[in-house]
Amino acid sequence: MAAAGLAGGAAAEDYPTRPITMVVPFAAGGPTDTVARLVAESMSKDLGQQILVENVGGAGGTLGASRVAKADPDGYTLLLHHIGMATSAVLYRKLPYDTLNAFEYVGLVTDVPMTIVARSDFEPADLKGLIDYVKANGDKVTMANAGVGAASHLCGMLFMSKIGAQLTTVPYKGTGPAMTDLVGKQVDFMCDQTTNTTNQIKAGKIKAYATTTKERVSSLPDVPTAAEAGLPDFEVGIWHGIYAPKGTSPEITAKLSASLQKALKDPLVVKRFADLGTAPSSDAEATRDGLKTKLTAEIERWRPVISAAGVYAD
Ligand code: MLT
């Protein structure tokens, strides 16, 4: 044991001595990928080794999470995932990993608002019109998402249960490719994070009906909140965190947490986050305890909601 501790300590001192892989469990070009690449670039400068983002999309983010759960706990494989980590722990009854016991924690990164957006030529003029349209047309309306357990799936599920309508969902490996089809008018609408929708909305390539926030989002001052647009109590935030495989030494996860906290104060990261409608997590949140507490609480929050809906992925 003493030898292992010493080895762990010594290893952490020199860590990292080669590039690190950060797994993003959704397709490249999407919101989670955008957050990961911004933070990875800043942490790379601080740690003196490149953090390479690897996209492992599929099954609502559980394929990528499973990849990291099985990786060597040497600090060279990390996972950046979001609220899907919690919802999947309930939605998937046969996950190939134990969500609360297969990972070490590095820290929370950001909490991204969602937007309800549609193809630019979609008929409804506002959120009330969208709700009436969906109720009148049901499964003729298509809604894109990034698979069962994804943020876009969760938000879509909440929207459908809130308005009491069912529509046709179209799954993708991420909302990056889904956005391509939305801009291309191949699907009607979706719920997606501001980190993926802000630029498309500003460019007029998609239509925006509402944000899922209490206050308007700074990067989208003209987009009403859901409450302002007539759908009260529809608030969804997509919190993101960084994990490592179970058994990664506390010295290494402490070093990664410290580097994450620095990255979240990096003016470039702060500005890019603000341009995309989000903000960095605080120092207290960007810690191992901060993320563990959040994940544990969120699994307990979503368990009754998902059980009541009875919608399981397997
Ligand atoms: C993505 O990066 O594609 C999204 O986070 C997917 C989602 O959860 O909706």
Side-chain angles (χ1 to χ4, degrees):
M1 192 46 82
L6 272 177
E13 240 162 68
D14 307 336
Y15 174 86
T17 57
R18 56 188 166 86
I20 297 166
T21 297
M22 180 181 277
V23 171
V24 167
F26 296 103
T32 309
D33 188 58
T34 299
V35 167
R37 288 177 193 275
L38 278 172
V39 170
E41 194 181 336
S42 184
M43 288 176 72
S44 298
K45 289 186 202 126
D46 173 58
L47 293 168
Q49 283 290 342
Q50 258 207 305
I51 299 183
L52 306 165
V53 170
E54 184 184 334
N55 300 88
V56 182
T62 60
L63 282 189
S66 167
R67 161 96 160 62
V68 176
K70 296 189 185 101
D72 291 340
D74 55 8
Y76 290 98
T77 306
L78 305 175
L79 171 70
L80 189 142
H81 198 354
H82 59 37
I83 192 171
M85 194 73 156
T87 53
S88 298
V90 184
L91 280 162
Y92 291 79
R93 289 170 291 195
K94 299 190 217 74
L95 270 182
Y97 55 88
D98 174 350
T99 302
L100 282 173
N101 294 301
F103 302 95
E104 304 292 349
Y105 306 91
V106 173
L108 284 161
V109 176
T110 183
D111 195 337
V112 183
M114 297 288 272
T115 42
I116 300 174
V117 292
R119 49 192 285 176
S120 57
D121 63 346
F122 205 35
E123 193 184 312
D126 55 25
L127 189 62
K128 278 211 172 90
L130 174 69
I131 293 170
D132 295 343
Y133 185 90
V134 170
K135 284 182 176 172
N137 294 283
D139 58 13
K140 286 201 281 309
V141 182
T142 56
M143 180 170 66
N145 70 36
V148 176
S152 44
H153 167 255
L154 179 73
C155 181
M157 213 173 55
L158 291 173
F159 181 72
M160 285 197 273
S161 69
K162 189 110 182 140
I163 69 169
Q166 276 301 327
L167 37 73
T168 299
T169 57
V170 183
Y172 293 78
K173 284 197 182 240
T175 53
M179 181 60 78
T180 306
D181 274 6
L182 191 70
V183 170
K185 304 182 177 73
Q186 303 304 305
V187 282
D188 295 324
F189 83 108
M190 76 174 166
C191 248
D192 193 17
Q193 297 158 66
T194 59
T195 37
N196 199 36
T197 59
T198 293
N199 294 339
Q200 304 292 355
I201 293 168
K202 285 186 170 173
K205 292 188 180 161
I206 58 175
K207 201 181 243 186
Y209 290 115
T211 63
T212 64
T213 46
K214 255 193 203 12
E215 313 293 334
R216 289 199 179 198
V217 171
S218 56
S219 64
L220 295 167
D222 305 331
V223 180
T225 66
E228 285 175 320
L231 190 65
D233 309 322
F234 192 68
E235 289 163 25
V236 186
I238 308 305
W239 53 274
H240 290 67
I242 297 176
Y243 305 82
K246 188 75 179 175
T248 304
S249 81
E251 293 84 5
I252 287 178
T253 52
K255 205 168 195 175
L256 289 165
S257 295
S259 183
L260 170 61
Q261 287 169 18
K262 273 193 208 141
L264 295 179
K265 293 191 191 71
D266 176 343
L268 265 179
V269 172
V270 174
K271 176 158 184 349
R272 288 289 290 130
F273 273 14
D275 292 346
L276 297 173
T278 191
S281 296
S282 67
D283 273 1
E285 292 167 330
T287 59
R288 296 169 290 180
D289 288 348
L291 178 55
K292 184 173 183 179
T293 305
K294 182 75 172 179
L295 179 64
T296 311
E298 286 281 288
I299 291 175
E300 288 325 307
R301 174 163 82 107
W302 289 106
R303 192 182 301 286
V305 177
I306 292 166
S307 313
V311 283
Y312 294 100
D314 53 13

